[in-house]
């Protein structure tokens, strides 16, 4: 059987090109998965106990995966698992069983870079789709063609590809293309960095990355510092990617899956970013000709942003403005403060699980899927027993708060920070 | 079948190549920056052909470095380049992007292929995977330890290549990071050039005795290890395991240094071939390397005997 036959057979009847691009979100744990899906992700990617590149994340047990898949399926969403390490010999034992367990748990696809994982999945767990990870740093159509012939229905491109590169790849190869559109980036070619191995004896390509590219360094020439010690230091650290303003271009160039980075990020981050891209994608497809990027989307994105944002390699090669040499202020003065668990229309009180300190008199806002949003001042808080309190001080404490408008479970509450 | 490990190295020019052949090198990886990564010097296609003419009659092999991460533009000319390489009579093509494999199948059939993706070649199943797709050699990541190397050698059908001496790349970005930094500082005239011979290095506040060379070229920014691997003391462990090719990386070293290193490894390998059982390491081989070594760069075992966590 030739490779091409294998491809056709395995993926016959399935989409080769999605009509509406998929919004693919990270989910570091079950709660984050639920928020990502609830806020509009078409698919989420998670890590299991092994073979993933975020060994510090919570990561899912098979039981949690099953629960996640069940939850996602209710929304028509899929769950992918990142198995994107470069495996060493000792990682091979148990791989087959692991992949079969993913298949049994109802996982739709794995994201893999190392041929040992790709090949083992194709043989041992054929119902799992294999998506080529960005860790393979795939930049050209010929390599994409190679992976297609190997039976992979989707390639996640290198973060170094531009719009022009993607167009060229799409022109040559009929395959699903996934691209990172939002979040933190390796400043190196993915997989081509072992700074952690050298600085901290942690294996970056097996999930041990210690983010050494974001450290500060002195740059020397002829044994002398290039710039005085008190000036901004050298770093490789990149700003974070944000492509919201180029959504039509991403759709029109034919990116099939829009990927948000951040399995280590909070539920607030994931829900906020997903919420914005969900609205933007839907708005584009309602009426492409009149599509505009709404200012409130940018505002929302900034409320979740951890670092300054840029457009990566999509338009051109990053320059000085795309790296972080000095501390910058948070773009939006809001912090995540709570999650709505319930709402009582009779009393006008919401039950909120505290996620950060907030108090009477403070300005807060409630946000839910599809961009519903309103601001109010905190006028009344009670504890679970109905006793009035002046502040929500205890992590994860359940309190009740009077809200200006009805709210729904999984809506989020933010508080205004800074002055005031 | 008698085991004769190959002593592989690099060269910055035809002149260096001749000197290193005389010093005892068995094979060379050469090429040009447009297709090959982190090469000590540029060998345009006519010089690759010349290198083959010089090397082959003496039994020395020439491998062409085509191990860049290729972009669409490079792919355009890749087919013609592969065909031209085939004409030079090179003994193998070194690659790290599947696009090269696709081009080689059509335009350079019959030429041996060496899979070298540097940091990401880490297990024997993946070795065999590339083997079934046409590679005859698997170049192991420098981040593996001795046990993993020995196990891989015993488990794969492919020849293995292991770096035994010199610098390694530890970070590769497509960005021009030194230039970006200088533009940020608004003083770009501090440096006339940012290439590998400019002597630039970075240092981290808590690791003041470690100098990590950094340079830019057409392929982006590269950061190199602060130490030089030196496995001459324990070379027999790799030879006992049957590792086919032992590589001395010559990048960012003088020809005089590389000559000394190649001579030392030549002696060790010859002694081993002559009598594997009776082989003993001679301290004087290492002493000669020590004398030539830059005092700011430690000679180390790299990751050969190190435990890494993740």
């Amino acid at each position: 059987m030739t490779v091409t036959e294998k491809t056709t057979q395995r993926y016959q009847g399935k989409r080769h090109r999605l009509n509406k691009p998929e919004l693919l979100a990270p989910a570091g744990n079950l709660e984050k998965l639920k928020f990502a899906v609830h806020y509009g992700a078409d698919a989420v990617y998670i890590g299991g106990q092994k073979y993933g590149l975020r060994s510090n994340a919570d990561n899912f047990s098979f039981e949690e995966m099953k629960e996640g898949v069940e939850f996602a399926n209710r929304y028509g969403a899929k769950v992918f698992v990142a198995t994107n390490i470069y495996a060493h010999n000792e990682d091979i034992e148990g791989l087959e069983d692991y992949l079969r367990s993913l298949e049994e748990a109802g996982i739709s696809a794995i994201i893999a870079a190392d041929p040992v994982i790709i090949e083992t999945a194709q043989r041992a767990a054929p119902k799992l789709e294999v998506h080529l990870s960005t860790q393979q740093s795939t930049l050209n159509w010929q390599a994409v063609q190679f992976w297609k012939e190997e039976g992979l229905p989707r390639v996640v491109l290198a973060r170094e590809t531009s719009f022009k590169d993607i167009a060229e790849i799409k022109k040559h190869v009929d395959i699903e293309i996934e691209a990172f559109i939002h979040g933190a980036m390796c400043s190196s070619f993915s997989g081509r960095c072992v700074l952690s191995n050298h600085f901290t004896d942690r294996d970056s390509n097996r999930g041990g990355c210690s983010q050494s590219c974001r450290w500060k360094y002195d740059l020397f020439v002829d044994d002398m510092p290039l710039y005085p010690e008190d000036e901004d230091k050298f770093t490789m650290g990149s700003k974070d990617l944000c492509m919201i303003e180029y959504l039509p271009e991403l759709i029109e160039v034919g990116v099939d899956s829009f990927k948000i980075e951040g399995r280590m990020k909070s539920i607030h981050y994931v829900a906020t970013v997903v919420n914005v891209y969900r609205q933007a994608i839907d708005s584009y497809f309602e009426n492409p000709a009149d599509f505009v990027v709404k200012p409130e989307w940018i505002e929302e994105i900034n409320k979740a942003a951890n670092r300054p944002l840029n457009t990566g390699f999509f338009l051109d090669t990053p320059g000085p403005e795309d790296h972080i040499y000095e501390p910058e202020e948070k773009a939006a003065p809001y912090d995540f403060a709570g999650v709505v668990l319930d709402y009582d229309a009779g009393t006008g009180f919401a039950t909120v699980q505290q996620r950060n300190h907030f108090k009477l008199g403070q300005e807060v806002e409630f946000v839910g899927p599809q961009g519903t949003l309103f601001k109010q001042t905190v006028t009344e808080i009670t504890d679970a027993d109905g006793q009035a309190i002046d502040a929500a001080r205890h992590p994860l404490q359940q309190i009740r708060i009077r809200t200006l408008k009805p709210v729904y479970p999984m809506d989020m509450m933010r508080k205004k920070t800074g002055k005031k | 079948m008698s085991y004769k490990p190959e002593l592989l190295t690099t060269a910055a020019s035809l002149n260096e190549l001749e000197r290193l052949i005389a010093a005892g090198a068995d094979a060379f990886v050469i090429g040009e920056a447009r297709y090959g990564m982190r090469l000590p010097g540029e060998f345009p296609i006519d010089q690759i052909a010349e290198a083959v003419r010089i090397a082959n009659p003496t039994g020395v092999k020439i491998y062409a470095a085509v191990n860049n991460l290729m972009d669409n533009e490079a792919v355009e000319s890749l087919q013609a380049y592969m065909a031209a390489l085939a004409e030079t009579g090179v003994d193998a093509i070194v690659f790290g992007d599947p696009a090269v494999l696709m081009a080689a199948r059509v335009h350079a059939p019959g030429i041996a292929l060496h899979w070298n993706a540097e940091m990401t070649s880490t297990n024997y199943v993946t070795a065999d995977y590339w083997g079934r797709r046409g590679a005859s050699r698997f170049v192991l990541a420098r981040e593996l330890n001795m046990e993993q190397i020995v196990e891989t050698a015993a488990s794969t059908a492919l020849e293995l290549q292991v770096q035994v001496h010199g610098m390694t790349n530890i970070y590769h970005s497509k960005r021009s990071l030194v230039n970006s930094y200088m533009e940020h500082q608004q003083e770009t005239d501090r440096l006339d050039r940012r290439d590998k011979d400019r002597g630039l290095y970075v240092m981290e506040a808590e690791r003041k005795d470690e100098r990590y060379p950094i340079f830019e070229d057409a392929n982006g920014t590269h950061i190199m290890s602060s130490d030089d691997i030196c496995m001459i003391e324990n070379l027999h462990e790799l030879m006992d395991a049957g590792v086919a090719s032992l590589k001395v990386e010559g990048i960012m070293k003088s020809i005089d240094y590389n000559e000394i290193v190649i001579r030392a490894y030549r002696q060790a390998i010859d002694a081993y071939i002559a009598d594997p059982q009776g082989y003993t390491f001679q301290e004087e081989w290492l002493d000669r390397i020590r004398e030539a070594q830059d005092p700011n760069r430690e000679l180390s075992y790299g990751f050969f005997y190190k435990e890494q966590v993740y």
Side-chain angles (χ1 to χ4, degrees), chain B residues 229-242:
Chain B
I229 295 173
C230 177
M231 283 299 289
I232 196 158
E233 274 173 278
N234 299 331
L235 206 61
H236 59 278
E237 294 180 33
L238 293 167
M239 295 191 285
D240 288 345

Side-chain angles (χ1 to χ4, degrees), chain B residues 71-292:
Chain B
D71 55 21
N72 287 316
E73 211 188 313
V75 165
E76 288 293 305
S77 59
L78 197 55
Q79 302 186 347
Y81 187 64
M82 299 303 270
L85 281 177
E87 281 205 7
T88 65
V90 290
D91 298 282
I93 287 167
V94 181
F95 75 111
D97 188 314
V100 178
L101 188 64
M102 300 286 272
R105 282 172 181 168
V106 182
H107 299 277
I111 298 187
L113 293 167
H114 297 174
W115 173 252
N116 182 5
E118 299 216 339
M119 300 149 182
T120 66
S121 299
T122 49
N123 67 76
Y124 62 87
V125 178
T126 294
D128 288 340
Y129 176 94
W130 290 113
R132 282 192 298 278
R133 279 143 193 87
S136 59
R137 177 181 294 191
F138 192 64
V139 181
L140 284 180
R142 281 78 53 106
E143 294 74 29
L144 298 181
N145 64 37
M146 186 62 86
E147 282 163 34
Q148 291 164 337
I149 294 168
V150 170
E151 192 191 3
T152 304
S155 310
T156 178
L158 269 66
E159 293 179 347
L160 289 187
Q161 178 184 313
V162 172
Q163 182 175 335
V164 295
H165 196 95
M167 217 180 261
T168 63
N169 175 254
I170 67 172
Y171 171 94
H172 179 197
S173 174
K174 197 184 179 190
R175 301 156 188 256
S176 297
L177 291 166
V178 177
N179 190 53
S180 285
Y181 175 55
M182 293 200 304
E183 281 185 20
H184 167 76
Q185 296 286 53
Q186 299 185 320
E187 283 184 76
T188 49
D189 53 356
R190 290 270 173 119
L191 271 183
D192 44 347
R193 24 188 273 261
R194 307 182 296 280
D195 60 272
K196 64 180 169 49
D197 301 320
R198 188 61 191 88
L200 284 163
Y201 60 88
V202 290
M203 193 184 275
E204 205 267 321
E206 287 172 30
R207 298 166 176 79
K208 294 258 188 218
D209 52 346
E210 295 169 14
R211 303 171 169 202
Y212 294 87
I214 183 169
F215 65 92
E216 287 181 19
D217 64 14
N219 297 321
T221 305
H222 312 265
I223 301 176
M224 310 299 284
S225 61
S226 65
D227 52 352
D228 288 316
I229 295 173
C230 177
M231 283 299 289
I232 196 158
E233 274 173 278
N234 299 331
L235 206 61
H236 59 278
E237 294 180 33
L238 293 167
M239 295 191 285
D240 288 345
V243 172
S245 180
L246 306 167
K247 187 185 183 192
V248 171
E249 174 58 66
I251 194 169
M252 298 168 86
K253 304 283 185 201
S254 71
I255 177 65
D256 292 340
Y257 175 87
N258 286 332
E259 222 169 27
I260 288 164
V261 172
I262 289 294
R263 282 210 183 94
Y265 280 86
R266 178 77 274 154
Q267 279 191 293
I269 293 169
D270 284 347
Y272 184 89
I273 293 170
D275 180 12
Q277 269 76 47
Y279 172 87
T280 49
F281 161 71
Q282 305 295 311
E283 194 71 30
E284 58 172 27
W285 301 333
L286 180 54
D287 284 341
R288 292 205 301 276
I289 296 173
R290 282 197 188 111
E291 276 168 35

Side-chain angles (χ1 to χ4, degrees), chain A residues 142-201:
Chain A
Q142 186 76 267
V144 172
Q145 178 72 32
F146 171 85
W147 293 112
K148 181 182 173 170
E149 291 180 12
E150 290 292 323
L152 277 59
R154 181 185 293 194
V155 168
V156 189
L157 294 179
R159 277 174 268 221
E160 288 75 12
T161 45
S162 64
F163 276 123
K164 203 175 145 225
D165 294 327
I166 297 172
E168 188 75 10
I169 289 166
K170 273 288 182 181
K171 192 177 90 187
H172 282 94
V173 194
D174 182 19
I175 189 171
E176 288 174 14
I177 291 296
E178 178 176 314
F180 280 94
I181 56 143
H182 197 95
M185 288 181 281
C186 291
S187 61
S188 68
F189 283 107
S190 297
R192 270 62 171 184
C193 170
V194 288
L195 292 174
S196 295
N197 305 56
H198 281 260
F199 289 140
T200 62
D201 290 336

Side-chain angles (χ1 to χ4, degrees), chain A residues 222-293:
Chain A
D222 303 328
D223 291 339
M224 297 288 291
L226 190 60
Y227 297 106
E229 284 220 7
D230 53 347
E231 292 189 10
D232 288 339
K233 291 196 183 294
F234 175 78
T235 179
M236 297 80 90
S238 165
K239 290 186 180 175
D240 285 2
L241 185 64
C242 173
M243 290 301 288
I244 186 73
E245 298 191 56
Y246 293 90
L247 204 79
E249 287 86 345
L250 287 167
I251 294 168
E252 284 152 25
V253 79
V255 174
D256 299 277
S257 177
F258 292 2
K259 184 173 206 167
I260 298 164
E261 178 278 344
R263 282 195 279 137
M264 306 283 276
K265 300 278 192 350
S266 67
I267 57 169
H268 172 247
Y269 178 93
V270 173
T272 302
V273 175
V274 167
N275 203 10
V276 168
Y277 281 97
R278 176 76 279 149
Q279 292 170 61
I281 294 168
D282 291 348
S283 161
Y284 176 90
F285 279 92
E286 266 163 38
N287 190 353
D290 292 336
F291 176 82
V292 285
V293 177

